[in-house]
Amino acid sequence: MDKTSPFAIHPALDELRAHLARIMDLRAAAALLEWDQETYMPAGATAVRAEQLGTLHRLAHEWFIAERTGELLEAAAAAVQGLPPEHLAVRLVEVVREDYDKARRVPPELVAELARTESEAREAWKQARRENHYATFAPYLERLLALNREKAEALGYEKHPYDALLDQYEPGMTTEAVRVLFEQLRAELVPLVRALADQPRPEAAFLHRYVAPERQWALNRLVLEAIGFDLQRGRLDASVHPFSTGIAIADVRLTTRIDPHDFASGLFATLHEAGHGLYEQGIDPVLERTPLADGASLGLHESQSRLWENLIGRSLPFWEHFYPRLREHLSGVLDDVSLDAFYRAINRVEPSLIRVEADEVTYNLHILLRFELEVALIEGKLSVRDLPAAWDEGMQRDLGLRPETLREGVLQDIHWSQGAFGYFPTYTLGNLMSAQLWRAIEQTIPDVAAFMQRGDFRPILTWLRTQIHRHGRAWKAPVLLEQATGHPLDAEPWLTYIRKKYQALYPAASVSLS
């Protein structure tokens, strides 16, 4: 037993901690198998991997909802009585009790069936996407929808079944609150996008010059280490859809995609996933093998990826430091491209079909559409059969584009194949949080731009580690956000950031952006 641990204050806490650690080990093993499925697993192992994941998820769920967990929780709750609410032992008991109450509502058979179906659906999605054949994936999507409706009913909700699903990723958030916020954003974004789309677009063809994959891998790892990601406690690999997975605080896996004719896409995907990875690596090690060793919410997690990808990674100070190194590293590819031209190109606003390649201004419109569609699917107002057409119509309405292939449309994202209904809104919530956090960083570190120009990202990372990362799930996202910024979630900092940045980049459109 570690006598320095904040949980080593009573035998009841030790017992609860040991019990939870075994459950977290099972979940980590499942996460490792899922990472392997997306990176190195041979295609022929799909069926057996589905069974393996079903077993691990069912066992972890059964162990967690067992009467023993409830008994240990009661004993631990008695042991922490009288301690201040910020004590980590108190936080552990409160978070685990909430998780326990929710988990006991979901039958183990449903957990296992979801895990099996999700594993099979991921492979069906990959095939459907590769072959541009929606019918390959549609039956799995039907099954996942039915299972998620069943899960929502098991979890319970006051107003809308989507609330129960959303709460898994953004605790406390409701469908109604998201809808109000997203309607406000759509009203601002659609005319803003149109105003910018009418302006001459910066030249960007040089971003598609050939860069050998091995050079890109070396470049991505160079940038990762420069911003503080520890490759001794993490790694970077390739996958169809970039993602990050925290197996443990000391084992954080990132993936990216490498395109020889689009090095910027892979680089910014790496920066995005690095934001997630820095969060996972920054959690206080004393929380390891407890349910607190995770992000407070998917929205807060996304705030970290969007902050590093966009507010830092697409900023001029960042590239004032890195651009000479980029030119040197790419060995002649950008020798005829100025810093100003490069900066304008990576911040070019152009409505596009692919969410992960969307610019800062148009990105949220992609999320608003997905939210609208998956709520309609859960409600039963939209059928799986009609989903591709609804997708295409929504893209035409919001972005003035219509996909020519299913890969560019309804099959572009992996999330629904993972059964992750309720996940998409967290991307926009994270965007909003990122700007709110960045405003606080600029107020706390007034010379933050100068630090970036020198390639010193330690002050930024230290602030984030202190305010957000180290806490893990000890506090809910709204609490951490308000403690860090002094304000509850607000769209105004993000809208202000976008207007200011793009007024400078597109001065002819300034009147439309004010």
Side-chain angles (χ1 to χ4, degrees):
M1 181 177 67
D2 182 4
K3 299 295 185 181
T4 65
S5 169
F7 308 115
I9 58 174
H10 191 280
L13 265 298
D14 292 333
E15 287 189 72
L16 176 63
R17 177 82 160 74
H19 178 69
L20 293 171
R22 290 188 287 271
I23 295 167
M24 298 306 295
D25 288 347
L26 282 177
R27 293 176 179 173
L32 184 57
L33 287 181
E34 289 166 347
W35 170 84
D36 175 71
Q37 183 172 357
E38 298 301 325
T39 51
Y40 296 107
M41 186 193 83
T46 299
V48 70
R49 181 55 50 87
E51 295 300 328
Q52 292 164 348
L53 287 168
T55 297
L56 286 174
H57 282 293
R58 186 185 69 248
L59 281 174
H61 187 70
E62 287 176 345
W63 289 6
F64 187 59
I65 67 172
E67 296 294 336
R68 179 62 175 157
T69 306
E71 293 167 359
L72 292 172
L73 265 174
E74 289 305 313
V80 301
Q81 279 188 349
L83 292 176
E86 66 272 14
H87 195 287
L88 282 177
V90 177
R91 306 307 317 141
L92 178 68
V93 170
E94 290 192 6
V95 170
V96 173
R97 176 180 280 138
E98 184 175 340
D99 288 350
Y100 178 69
D101 290 342
K102 290 179 182 177
R104 279 176 66 85
R105 301 171 196 162
V106 184
E109 297 79 12
L110 176 56
V111 172
E113 181 60 22
L114 270 165
R116 282 192 295 268
T117 306
E118 288 162 7
S119 182
E120 293 167 350
R122 279 198 294 273
E123 298 309 309
W125 168 77
K126 290 177 187 176
Q127 181 183 348
R129 190 175 188 274
R130 186 169 57 250
E131 298 173 356
N132 198 46
H133 191 246
Y134 181 67
T136 300
F137 176 57
Y140 294 92
L141 183 55
E142 290 272 17
R143 181 65 180 146
L144 286 170
L145 271 170
L147 290 170
N148 271 274
R149 291 191 192 105
E150 187 178 343
K151 186 176 183 180
E153 294 301 323
L155 287 167
Y157 52 88
E158 289 186 11
K159 294 184 177 180
H160 198 289
Y162 192 80
D163 289 349
L165 304 175
L166 178 61
D167 185 72
Q168 296 176 104
Y169 305 107
E170 202 63 31
M173 186 60 73
T174 66
T175 309
E176 182 180 359
V178 171
R179 186 174 277 136
V180 168
L181 182 62
F182 282 11
E183 286 174 357
Q184 174 193 351
L185 282 174
R186 178 175 273 124
E188 297 256 3
L189 283 174
V190 170
L192 191 152
V193 168
R194 287 173 181 161
L196 292 174
D198 288 339
Q199 304 306 310
R201 294 188 180 121
E203 172 58 42
F206 51 79
L207 295 179
H208 300 282
R209 293 173 179 172
Y210 178 83
V211 177
E214 58 269 23
R215 284 190 179 273
Q216 293 193 47
W217 282 115
L219 172 65
N220 288 347
R221 290 188 173 96
L222 173 73
V223 173
L224 276 180
E225 290 188 292
I227 66 174
F229 185 79
D230 185 354
L231 284 167
Q232 296 300 308
R233 299 189 300 138
R235 52 181 295 128
L236 179 67
D237 294 276
S239 67
V240 174
H241 189 105
F243 69 96
S244 62
T245 296
I247 311 299
I249 296 171
D251 185 359
V252 179
R253 314 288 178 100
L254 311 181
T255 72
T256 191
R257 58 169 62 134
I258 297 296
D259 182 340
H261 294 284
D262 193 356
F263 75 89
S265 175
L267 179 59
F268 285 107
T270 297
L271 275 169
H272 180 98
E273 300 307 333
H276 289 302
L278 289 168
Y279 192 170
E280 296 285 337
Q281 289 187 339
I283 295 171
D284 189 333
V286 303
L287 305 181
E288 188 69 279
R289 297 176 76 211
T290 78
L292 300 187
D294 199 357
S297 78
L298 263 294
L300 196 61
H301 230 304
E302 188 65 13
S303 77
Q304 303 306 288
S305 60
R306 301 301 280 184
L307 187 148
W308 285 98
E309 177 191 0
N310 289 330
L311 286 98
I312 296 172
R314 295 183 194 273
S315 73
L316 186 57
F318 180 90
W319 287 107
E320 285 172 334
H321 171 74
F322 272 112
Y323 194 58
R325 290 155 183 80
L326 177 69
R327 281 173 128 184
E328 179 182 359
H329 199 81
L330 297 190
S331 186
V333 173
L334 297 175
D335 284 0
D336 60 337
V337 179
S338 68
L339 169 61
D340 181 69
F342 179 79
Y343 172 65
R344 290 179 180 279
I346 62 172
N347 287 290
R348 174 180 172 131
V349 175
E350 183 173 11
S352 64
L353 293 166
I354 307 301
R355 174 185 65 85
V356 295
E357 297 172 3
D359 57 77
E360 286 182 279
V361 180
T362 61
Y363 182 89
N364 288 317
L365 290 174
H366 288 264
I367 301 305
L368 270 55
L369 173 61
R370 286 155 176 78
F371 167 72
E372 173 187 303
L373 294 175
E374 65 181 21
V375 169
L377 286 168
I378 292 297
E379 291 175 337
K381 295 178 180 178
L382 175 65
S383 70
V384 168
R385 180 190 60 200
D386 294 333
L387 178 61
W391 179 291
D392 293 353
E393 289 165 9
M395 288 294 293
Q396 183 70 53
R397 178 196 65 204
D398 289 345
L399 289 163
L401 301 172
R402 185 171 289 269
E404 294 184 4
T405 68
L406 293 162
R407 285 189 296 271
E408 296 173 325
V410 74
L411 290 178
Q412 70 177 264
D413 293 304
I414 195 173
H415 302 65
W416 288 337
S417 75
Q418 296 173 322
F421 293 91
Y423 191 117
F424 274 122
T426 66
Y427 285 120
T428 286
L429 297 175
N431 272 332
L432 303 184
M433 292 180 197
S434 70
Q436 196 164 325
L437 290 168
W438 186 247
R439 176 178 287 184
I441 288 171
E442 290 183 315
Q443 291 170 348
T444 307
I445 313 170
D447 51 351
V448 66
F451 279 107
M452 287 195 288
Q453 287 166 335
R454 295 195 296 270
D456 184 358
F457 300 95
R458 290 171 297 179
I460 298 172
L461 188 55
T462 297
W463 190 93
L464 291 169
R465 290 259 155 98
T466 301
Q467 299 293 333
I468 304 296
H469 299 176
R470 66 186 177 95
H471 299 289
R473 286 184 69 212
W475 299 98
K476 291 187 186 297
V479 174
L480 290 174
L481 185 67
E482 190 152 3
Q483 286 177 345
T485 69
H487 302 281
L489 179 60
D490 186 0
E492 184 273 328
W494 184 82
L495 289 167
T496 297
Y497 155 75
I498 286 293
R499 291 190 188 107
K500 180 180 178 181
K501 179 174 181 176
Y502 287 92
Q503 279 176 345
L505 285 166
Y506 289 82
S510 291
V511 66
S512 300
L513 298 175
S514 59

